[in-house]
């Protein structure tokens, strides 16, 4: 029997890697996409097969986590074996500007999807994309037993989503799990997250089309891993015998400054000549240090991060340099958005 999966957030970084992974495993994959006035499927375009083709295994459906009725309808129609909730307003700094929207999608969106699973009566396993941002001010190392202390509307919304996932597991005997993932990046990372902002700037500075990049707090410590490895961890969580919650991370501390140094050095550049400070990239409350203790995932799922932050920085710089070189008329048409969005 072909397994069916529904991915909310399929157009995002993780959704695109997860869709690839599941298609390679023979799944029929259904993705929830938002209607937009422009195409928003660039991360999954390479997976496209005309749905009229009998070989087609990937199907997209319009929907939104703010629309519960639509989610119930889709659950009925698709009847998936596995549901991955990766959809969210996922930018921490933006959550201070749009706290209500973030709460509605990142937090209440999760209970809408859980409730759609429950109301539809579909027997499926549910994955919730929980976040190390939930640990916030609690010092590292952070494991499944570490108390939450969120420091942003995003973090608080994820804490809500975490607890309702656990509650639906206990209240309705659902196979519902939380993957508490530490930062994970890739060449497909959104351009305004710090790693991609840096590697994209390195490529542009190297090409001579940009001189400076404006940054906020360089002292924050993160635990940056490689996104394709993390979606494998998500899948493994849903194949376990019992539903449970798992931390995924590398366990390697790395500051924003470390990432800058590695990325610029890899391109033969001196970061101090190109990095400038702009307070608009600071957050009203910051998360100082996130470092994973992912030993439970190693023991119970056999999952371990391979790519470490320094190698990740090099992978992303190489990809951004190549992307810039591959464009016909590289920088002429490229708008640098960092100036007006965070
Ligand atoms: P991402 O690239 O920002 O992707 C987010 C996805 O959610 C996109 O497909 C987006 O659609 C969709 N989305 C946003 N609002 C929606 C709504 N109201 N209804 C339906 N879909 C909506 O995020 P990511 O890095 O892949 O992360 C995936 C998930 O893991 C997120 O929930 C994130 O919060 C969480 N997480 C990420 C990390 C990390 O380091 N990457 C760590 C821990 C947890 P559009 O393409 O239309 O915008
Ligand atoms: O790349 P960031 O925006 O990621 P952040 O805030 O850690 O959140 C990411 O990881 C979470 C997991 O812990 C996810 F749940 C969440 O969805 C997202 O994927 O910022 C990383 C650090 C912060 O300390 C920030 O203050 O970089 C610092 N930073 C310094 N200058 C900057 C900048 N961040 C951004 N985005 N832009 C800057 O110019």
């Amino acid at each position: 029997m072909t397994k069916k999966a529904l991915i909310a957030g399929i157009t995002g970084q993780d959704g695109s890697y997860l869709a690839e992974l599941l298609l390679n495993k023979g799944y029929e994959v259904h993705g929830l996409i938002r209607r937009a006035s422009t195409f928003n499927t660039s991360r999954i375009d390479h997976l496209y097969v005309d749905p009229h083709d009998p070989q087609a295994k990937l199907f997209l459906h319009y929907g939104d986590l703010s629309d519960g009725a639509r989610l119930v309808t889709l659950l009925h129609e698709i009847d998936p074996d596995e549901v991955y909730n990766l959809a969210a307003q996922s930018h921490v700094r933006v959550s201070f500007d749009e706290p209500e929207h973030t709460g509605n999608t990142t937090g209440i969106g999760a209970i809408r999807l859980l409730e759609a699973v429950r109301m539809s009566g579909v027997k499926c396993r549910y994955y919730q994309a929980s976040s190390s941002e939930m640990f916030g001010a609690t010092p590292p190392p952070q494991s499944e037993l570490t108390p939450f202390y969120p420091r942003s509307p995003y973090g608080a919304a994820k804490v809500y989503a975490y607890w309702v996932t656990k509650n639906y597991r206990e209240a309705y005997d659902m196979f519902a799990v939380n993957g508490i993932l530490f930062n994970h990046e890739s060449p497909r990372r959104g351009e305004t997250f710090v790693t991609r902002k840096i590697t994209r700037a390195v490529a542009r500075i190297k090409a001579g089309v940009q001189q400076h990049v404006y940054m906020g707090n360089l002292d924050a410590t993160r635990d940056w891993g490689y996104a394709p490895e993390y979606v494998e961890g998500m899948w493994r969580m849903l194949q376990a015998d019992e539903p449970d919650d798992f931390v995924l991370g590398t366990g390697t501390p790395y500051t924003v400054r470390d990432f800058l140094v590695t990325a610029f050095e890899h391109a033969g550049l001196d970061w101090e000549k190109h990095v400038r400070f702009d307070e608009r990239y600071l957050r009203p409350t910051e998360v100082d240090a996130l470092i994973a203790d992912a030993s439970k995932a190693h023991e119970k799922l056999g999952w371990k991060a391979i790519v470490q932050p320094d190698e990740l920085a090099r992978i992303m710089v190489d990809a951004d340099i190549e992307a810039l070189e591959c464009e016909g008329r590289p920088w002429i048409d490229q708008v640098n958005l960092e100036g007006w969005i965070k």
Side-chain angles (χ1 to χ4, degrees), residues 151-334:
R151 296 269 285 171
S152 63
Y154 168 83
K158 283 288 184 188
V159 169
Y160 174 80
Y162 169 93
W163 281 113
V164 291
T165 300
K166 226 171 153 88
N167 178 245
Y168 272 51
R169 178 159 87 213
E170 293 166 2
Y172 304 116
D173 205 20
M174 274 174 58
F175 194 110
V177 309
N178 284 289
I180 308 173
L181 272 50
F182 283 60
N183 300 49
H184 47 280
E185 322 288 312
S186 73
R188 294 186 201 167
R189 185 58 144 150
E191 289 86 346
T192 60
F193 294 95
V194 77
T195 54
R196 185 75 198 289
K197 178 171 170 176
I198 292 169
T199 59
R200 203 163 160 267
V202 166
R204 290 167 60 83
I205 291 167
K206 176 95 176 153
V209 292
Q210 181 176 327
Q211 285 306 309
H212 301 109
V213 59
Y214 291 86
M215 309 279 309
N217 175 21
L218 306 187
D219 295 323
T221 295
R222 289 291 182 276
D223 174 331
W224 281 295
Y226 187 40
E229 295 174 3
Y230 287 59
V231 300
E232 166 77 26
M234 294 175 189
W235 177 78
R236 288 191 191 193
M237 287 179 214
L238 288 199
Q239 314 313 308
D241 292 338
E242 298 294 331
D244 205 347
D245 305 322
F246 293 94
V247 157
L248 300 185
T250 67
T252 307
Y254 219 61
T255 63
V256 176
R257 187 178 288 97
D258 292 334
F259 199 95
L260 273 169
V261 172
T262 305
F264 275 80
E265 272 181 1
H266 186 56
L269 297 167
D270 176 356
W271 74 276
E272 287 183 283
K273 290 189 179 144
H274 301 283
V275 175
R276 292 187 173 175
F277 173 71
D278 186 339
E279 65 178 12
R280 71 205 297 260
Y281 298 113
L282 298 179
R283 288 139 193 221
T285 39
E286 174 65 288
V287 170
D288 294 328
L290 295 173
I291 308 165
D293 170 357
S295 44
K296 179 176 166 185
H298 191 210
E299 278 162 32
K300 298 205 167 170
L301 303 175
W303 184 92
K304 196 172 188 327
I306 308 293
V307 173
Q308 296 295 313
D310 52 352
E311 190 187 348
L312 174 70
R314 292 192 284 271
I315 290 171
M316 291 175 67
V317 167
D318 288 343
D320 271 322
I321 289 175
E322 196 186 329
L324 203 56
E325 283 168 356
C326 285
E327 287 174 22
R329 293 162 52 225
W331 41 89
I332 299 168
D333 298 330
Q334 259 203 4

Side-chain angles (χ1 to χ4, degrees), residues 7-17 32-36 40-41 43 63-67 71 85-91 101 104-106 109 112 127-133 154 158 179-185 188-190 193 223-225 227 230 234:
I7 305 176
I10 195 169
T11 55
Q13 171 190 257
D14 291 4
S16 67
Y17 285 119
L32 185 79
I33 63 164
R34 299 195 286 180
R35 197 270 156 184
N40 58 357
T41 55
R43 290 188 179 104
D64 196 298
L65 283 197
S66 61
D67 182 353
L71 298 177
N85 180 21
L86 311 183
Q89 189 302 93
S90 71
H91 201 284
H101 168 71
N104 192 22
T105 55
T106 306
R112 287 196 191 95
Y127 174 88
Q128 171 61 30
S130 287
S131 167
S132 53
E133 184 70 16
Y154 168 83
K158 283 288 184 188
I180 308 173
L181 272 50
F182 283 60
N183 300 49
H184 47 280
E185 322 288 312
R188 294 186 201 167
R189 185 58 144 150
F193 294 95
D223 174 331
W224 281 295
Y230 287 59
M234 294 175 189

